[in-house]
Each structure stands twice: as structure tokens, then as C-alpha cells.
Amino acid sequence: MDKQEGSDVSAVPIEDPWHDTAVPRQREPGAAEIYLEVQRSPAFQEVRRRYRRFVFPAALAFLLWYLAYVVAATAAPGFMARPVAGAVNVAMVAGLGQFLTTFLLTWAYARHARLRRDRAALELRWDTQEMTRGVAQR
Amino acid sequence: MTGDHQTLALVLFSVFIAVTLGITTWVSRNRHGSAEEFYAGGRLFSPLENGFAIAGDYMSAASFLGISGLIALYGYDGMLYSVGFLVAWLVVLLLVAELVRNCGRFTLADVVAARMAERPVRIAAGTSSVAVSVLYLVAQMVGAGSLVALLLGGTSEAARSWTVIGVGALMVIYVSLGGMRATTWIQIVKAVLLMAGTITLTVLVLLRFHGDVNSLLSAAADRSGHGRDFLAPGLRYGGDWTSRLDFISLGIALVLGTAGLPHILSRFYTVPTARAARRSVVWSIGLIGSFYLMTIVLGFGAAALIGPAEVRASNASGNTAIPLLALDLGGGAGSTGGTVLFAVVAAVAFATILAVVAGITLASSASVAHDLYSSLRRRHAKRQYSEVTVARLAAAGIGAAAIGLGLLARDLNVAFLVGLAFAVAASANLPVLLYSLFWRKFTTRGAVWSVYGGLVPAVLLVLLSPVVSGSPESLFPGVDFHVFPLQNPGVISIPLGFLAGWIGAVTSAEPPDAARHAETEVRALTGAGAA
């Protein structure tokens, strides 16, 4: 009787009512290994590499560009006041340039993520969830 | 200001309140009372809706009235704010939005606690989130009070106090009854109104100059009395090196602070996936960027059409530049067009304050209920209140505290409160967030140290700065204990936050948990297991 119940539980996938609700993080044994395994997998390493290769240089570049802009505005107002065309001076061009680079970088990032990362990330998501679901039912 | 303006503005504002209260009741019809619903609106918003809501959450009255007023008074130096407020969104887009959506449930602390010992991390991150929110909230409440005095001519103390109380009461109703769903819709409505109003005014300004930006700038420079200097940096922040360093400090805090603001972070949980979070940030960058571009046109337009002298005569800090400009564009005082435009601007400004205040209240009540209450509640005590009930009560408590502080602080300059909120967010919240997401060897001690290591210096430096004592404009002009020369602590406290987190992590005895780091990293980049 006991034996039969036990085998039933393991054979039939039971809808776990707690799975989707706010259970505090009580990881099933084995989930840790799965995440470590996924993290080490070449597919995940590739997604992470693509993300970081784009994001880290881009973040550094725009932070430096913004810092240069702010420091130039406070430390070199004479240079910034130099006229370019009509009433437009270097400071105006630099300020509008900040707007332009923000829009451009936003577009470039969205495009990069859509074309180079989204599909691979989605596949990894399904794989990982399949693997952890198996663990949760064991 | 004549009676016509006031009546029409009050009517429009009442219509807005009626519509938003209608939304609040409508969205709370089929309420289940789940935490998912209260904090995250059921995670069912589309990227477009959430993009408008983010923009509505972010574009405060300080941006709408304050920045264009600064441009009208000081020319180019005001524009530096517009740039900083926009560029900050790149930090959010590139480093924060998607990863936070994947790793957390409702608050900043969720992301950090996924890798660390839950209790100390939640208490630390919850405390700093509440601190940032309350600072920001008080600034908005005080702004609401002075706005009424400025726009409706009700300069009496009583009118300002009642405005603060009224705004506080309304936001408690929105948040505790409607939760995130109502708050989001209020922000969407407000963002549409604000964009429509700004576009109308901008088009009218450009039409006045026949679409010639060059002649607009020249007219602004001529009218300002500074000539070409008006179009170059230096009028406001060009003094001694202390004031220049102060400005650099503010600029850094503006750019790094946005990504640590609790009410911005909580907006990413209202969409179903990380991809939707990214697309909503792209929408909001488009909206916020075009909005700030238009405030530049409006600021220089006010300088050219009204003149800095007249703007300053109406309000010393320039907050009434846009209302005055609206009056002029509509055909001048006494004309129907002028009256209507002025009333529209006043009503939009009120709507702005209500929407922003509701967003912050919701985020801070989430921090109180989800982080602080759940951590401080005794472990094995029988749970008496559900988390959502606590969050509703917390919204009322925070509303009451904000009303009280807003009344106490009503005579103070509030610009530094906003700056301080950004500085605290950048010093205490951003380092712990970035370390948790990107640093393999980060530990619990590092997390706790980086929060307090940024929070405590930021607050201490402000207490020891000329903002609080030692100058005629400070909080306590009578005494002098200021030892720190800058008004903006960011340039010191942000590096301290990062440094404290690093020292805490490398000195901690507990080794970093490789498995939980793997889980965070995999979840962050793939969305596996995301709520």
C-alpha cells in the first residue's frame, strides 16, 4: 500500500499548488546544481558575453561623454561659448549632442538585444525551466 | 492673476481628480487582494502603457515648471539639468531594467536578497528605499503647496497647508484603494496631458518665431540683458570653484540616482517579461527626451517673450515662467485664449504632482510592507495581517508622515531635497544593485555595508553642509556647524557607497555563494523562474 502510493506520486506529475505563489525561497535540492550547470554551458556563456560586450563599453563611453560635458561646462565656459552658427555655440551643440547620442544608443541597444540576444535567452529560459521542473517533482 | 484663471483651473483640476477617482474605483472592481496585483498591477501592462507610466512617474513638476524656469532665468545653465535627467535613463536601460525585471518581485531588496542572507539585506535596502522616497515625497508636497500659492493667487498660509493636506489625502486614497493598477493609469493619463500641453505650448512658441530657432535664441539673449553669455554656461554655476564642484556633484547624482529610485525600479515589475521592460524604457526615453527638448524651447521662449526680469518678479526661482508664457501665448492677460492656456498649465501641473506623489507612495509602502515588515515581524509569531493589508496601512502612514513633514518644511527651499533624494539613491541603492547583478564575489556583508556606507555619508554630509547651517539661506541660519562646503554630497558619498561595498565583500569571512550567484546570473539574463 505504502509502496504503491509512493510510486504513484513519483510517476504522475502533480500540479503543485505552491509553485506559482509567494513561497519564500526554499530551493529544492538539485536546483542549485542546475543553475550552476546552465551558467557553465556554452550557450549561456555566449549570451552573457554578447550582453557584456555591448553594455560595458557603451555604459563607460556615455558616462565619460556626459562627465566631459559637465566638466567642460563648468571648467571651460569660454570654450563652450564659442559660436558655431548664428546664435548656436559649442555648448548648444554639445547639449543637443547629448540628446542625440542618448537616442542613438537607445536604438542601438534595443536592436542589438533583439537581434543578438533575445532568441538565445528565450531558449535558455525554457531549457532551464524544464530542468528545474524536473527537480521540483522528484 | 484674475478670478477667471482660478475658476477655470480649479474646474479642470476637479475634472482630473474626478476622472482619476473614477479610474481608481473602476480598476478595483475585480480585486483579488493579491500582492502581485497591489504592487505590480498583475504584471499585465503593455510596454507602451508602462512607457507612458514611467514617463508620467518621472516628469515631476520640478521638471515641468522648474527646469524651464531655470532656463528662463539663467539661460544655458538650466539646460544642464535637462541633459542630466535624460542621460540617466541610459544607466537604467543598459544595466538595470531587464535584469531587475527578471530577478525581483516587487522591490529593490528582492534583487539583492536573492543572493544574500535575507533579513539584514532587506532591512538595509528597505530603510534606504524608504529614506529616498520620503525625501522625494516631501519635496513634491512642499512644491504642491507653493504651486497653489503661485498659480491660484492663494498666497495665504492656510491655502498652502490645505493643499498639502488635500494632495496627501488624495494620494492615500489612490494608492490604498487602487494599488499599482490605479497608480499606473493615473500616471498614463497625466503623461498624455503633460505631453499634449507641452507640445501645444512649444508649437505656439515656434510659430511666434516663424519656426526660426536662431531668432528665438537671439531674442532670448537680447532680452536677458546678458547678451551672448545667456546662451553659454556659467551664469549660475560659474562662480568660485566650490560652486562649480557643487554642480559637477549634482550632475553625477542626477545621472546615477535615477537607476536607484524605488518608484522607478518598481515600475519594471508591471510588465510580463524583461523584453517588455526594455521596450517600455525605450518608449519612456523617447517621451522623456522629447519632453526635455521642448522644455528647452519653452525656457528660452519665456526668456524671449516674457523676459527674465518679469519672470523673477513673479517668482524668485522662476517657477512661474511657463504659466506666464502660456498667458502670453494665448493672447495676453484678460484674453480668453490666455485664460484657457494658463488654466490648462495650472491643471497639468497639479495632475503632475498627484501622479508623481502616488507613484512614490506606492513604492515606499511596498518597501515598508514587503521588506521591513516581513523582516522585522517575529519569525514564529502567528501572522496577523496579510502583506497587502500592511502595505495599505503603510501608504496611509507614509501619507500622514509626508503631510506632516510637508507642512513643517513648507517655507524651505525644496530643490536640495530632490537633489538629496537622487544623491542618496545613487550612493545607497545603485552600488548594491550593480554589485549584486554583476559581481561574482559579492557577499551579504558587502551588501549591507554598501547600503549604509552610502546612506550614512550622504545624510551626514548634508547635515554638515551649508544647506543646514552657516548661511542665511540654510535651515538653521542662526547656528554654524557646517564643515563640508558643498550642497550636493554625491561626489563624496557615491564613491564611498561603492568603496564600502567592495571592502565589506573582500573582508567578509563568509565565502560568496557560487550557486546562488549562478541562479541570479542565469535568471537575470534568461528570465528563467521570473515571477
Side-chain angles (χ1 to χ4, degrees):
Chain A
M1 190 66 178
D2 277 345
K3 194 182 160 218
Q4 201 182 358
E5 259 187 347
S7 64
D8 268 80
V9 168
S10 61
V12 182
I14 292 174
E15 204 61 43
D16 179 359
W18 298 104
H19 189 73
D20 283 325
T21 51
V23 183
R25 194 188 49 251
Q26 297 256 308
R27 215 184 291 104
E28 298 289 335
E33 282 70 38
I34 288 173
Y35 280 113
L36 277 169
E37 188 187 317
V38 174
Q39 190 194 30
R40 278 191 291 262
S41 72
F44 178 78
Q45 298 275 338
E46 176 65 17
V47 168
R48 190 177 63 178
R49 199 179 58 85
R50 284 182 184 175
Y51 172 72
R52 295 195 166 184
R53 273 227 182 145
F54 185 92
V55 156
F56 287 174
L60 194 69
F62 84 76
L63 281 176
L64 285 178
W65 159 224
Y66 172 76
L67 208 60
Y69 168 74
V70 171
V71 170
T74 48
F79 165 73
M80 298 289 267
R82 199 170 291 178
V84 175
V88 176
N89 53 24
V90 176
M92 280 297 167
V93 174
L96 295 178
Q98 292 280 343
F99 277 87
L100 188 67
T101 48
T102 302
F103 291 139
L104 279 179
L105 192 53
T106 304
W107 172 79
Y109 173 76
R111 183 185 147 84
H112 177 269
R114 189 179 72 238
L115 296 181
R116 313 251 349 211
R117 211 152 47 75
D118 276 353
R119 186 182 299 261
L122 194 62
E123 275 167 18
L124 274 168
R125 176 183 184 163
W126 290 124
D127 293 350
T128 312
Q129 282 180 339
E130 279 303 308
M131 286 154 84
T132 44
R133 185 163 301 138
V135 168
Q137 280 163 11
R138 198 173 296 151
Chain B
M1 321 276 147
T2 64
D4 287 354
H5 304 145
Q6 300 178 21
T7 320
L8 191 57
L10 279 176
V11 167
L12 288 176
F13 185 54
S14 310
V15 170
F16 177 79
I17 292 178
V19 168
T20 47
L21 283 177
I23 291 173
T24 309
T25 28
W26 183 63
V27 299
S28 44
R29 278 167 318 160
N30 304 318
R31 215 170 56 192
H32 311 296
S34 74
E36 226 76 18
E37 190 179 27
F38 185 79
Y39 298 132
R43 308 191 195 287
L44 287 171
F45 285 100
S46 75
L48 176 65
E49 290 163 349
N50 195 38
F52 268 88
I54 292 174
D57 219 346
Y58 190 65
M59 298 185 295
S60 62
S63 321
F64 181 48
L65 301 176
I67 292 181
S68 16
L70 279 176
I71 296 177
L73 292 185
Y74 303 103
Y76 187 82
D77 274 359
M79 194 174 141
L80 292 164
Y81 277 91
S82 312
V83 171
F85 277 126
L86 174 68
V87 171
W89 280 92
L90 285 177
V91 182
V92 180
L93 175 73
L94 298 180
L95 299 173
V96 173
E98 290 171 55
L99 311 186
V100 162
R101 171 62 193 85
N102 277 340
C103 284
R105 279 169 58 83
F106 307 124
T107 63
L108 161 77
D110 286 340
V111 180
V112 185
R115 270 184 71 185
M116 311 297 166
E118 184 132 1
R119 218 170 117 88
V121 163
R122 275 200 191 280
I123 292 172
T127 307
S128 79
S129 294
V130 172
V132 173
S133 303
V134 168
L135 284 171
Y136 210 102
L137 209 49
V138 171
Q140 300 290 333
M141 301 291 269
V142 175
S146 25
L147 200 67
V148 164
L150 292 170
L151 296 181
L152 299 185
T155 38
S156 69
E157 284 297 299
R160 294 171 66 175
S161 305
W162 281 109
T163 312
V164 170
I165 294 171
V167 168
L170 271 175
M171 87 195 182
V172 171
I173 292 175
Y174 291 150
V175 171
S176 53
L177 294 186
M180 180 55 104
R181 215 173 274 169
T183 308
T184 305
W185 280 111
I186 289 165
Q187 282 156 353
I188 293 172
V189 171
K190 169 248 159 152
V192 171
L193 287 179
L194 183 61
M195 289 307 284
T198 319
I199 290 172
T200 311
L201 290 182
T202 308
V203 168
L204 287 175
V205 167
L206 290 176
L207 280 179
R208 193 66 79 83
F209 288 92
H210 309 292
D212 186 352
V213 178
N214 198 41
S215 74
L216 165 64
L217 291 176
S218 306
D222 292 342
R223 187 91 183 246
S224 71
H226 295 283
R228 286 293 156 99
D229 287 349
F230 192 68
L231 304 177
L235 275 186
R236 185 175 164 86
Y237 301 103
D240 53 355
W241 278 101
T242 316
S243 86
R244 296 186 190 194
L245 191 61
D246 221 348
F247 181 73
I248 294 177
S249 181
L250 175 67
I252 295 172
L254 290 186
V255 157
L256 298 179
T258 302
L261 291 176
H263 63 287
I264 297 295
L265 291 174
S266 70
R267 289 237 57 92
F268 301 130
Y269 300 122
T270 63
V271 289
T273 62
R275 194 169 171 215
R278 182 204 313 145
R279 286 169 57 201
S280 45
V281 177
V282 171
W283 270 109
S284 64
I285 286 180
L287 288 168
I288 292 167
S290 42
F291 172 77
Y292 283 128
L293 279 175
M294 291 190 284
T295 60
I296 296 172
V297 176
L298 294 184
F300 281 117
L305 296 173
I306 315 289
E310 215 172 306
V311 170
R312 191 175 278 116
S314 164
N315 173 245
S317 41
N319 286 333
T320 42
I322 295 242
L324 290 176
L325 180 68
L327 200 57
D328 186 82
L329 288 170
S335 68
T336 315
T339 307
V340 170
L341 270 186
F342 182 94
V344 166
V345 165
V348 166
F350 285 129
T352 290
I353 285 180
L354 269 186
V356 171
V357 155
I360 307 166
T361 308
L362 181 65
S364 46
S365 70
S367 285
V368 170
H370 188 62
D371 300 331
L372 296 179
Y373 173 75
S374 63
S375 301
L376 296 173
R377 168 166 53 93
R378 257 175 297 153
R379 268 295 148 78
H380 301 291
K382 194 168 186 300
R383 178 189 274 222
Q384 285 172 322
Y385 299 104
S386 80
E387 206 180 287
V388 174
T389 312
V390 176
R392 289 183 209 279
L393 293 173
I398 289 163
I403 292 173
L405 289 171
L407 290 177
L408 280 179
R410 68 187 158 192
D411 292 327
L412 304 175
N413 178 331
V414 295
F416 87 90
L417 278 175
V418 175
L420 180 60
F422 272 80
V424 173
S427 320
N429 289 354
L430 187 68
V432 74
L433 187 57
L434 291 186
Y435 279 143
S436 303
L437 290 172
F438 293 106
W439 192 21
R440 189 165 52 86
K441 293 183 176 165
F442 200 45
T443 63
T444 302
R445 179 194 272 189
V448 173
W449 282 26
S450 76
V451 172
Y452 294 124
L455 180 65
V456 173
V459 173
L460 261 187
L461 285 177
V462 168
L463 289 179
L464 298 175
S465 78
V467 166
V468 173
S469 71
S471 87
E473 299 95 56
S474 46
L475 278 180
F476 305 105
V479 285
D480 185 359
F481 50 87
H482 94 277
V483 284
F484 182 67
L486 304 182
Q487 301 195 352
N488 295 290
V491 75
I492 308 286
S493 64
I494 297 171
L496 277 180
F498 278 102
L499 186 70
W502 179 75
I503 293 177
V506 294
T507 60
S508 68
E510 157 211 12
D513 190 333
R516 281 163 77 180
H517 170 251
E519 181 174 349
T520 298
E521 202 166 53
V522 170
R523 286 185 54 178
L525 282 170
T526 67

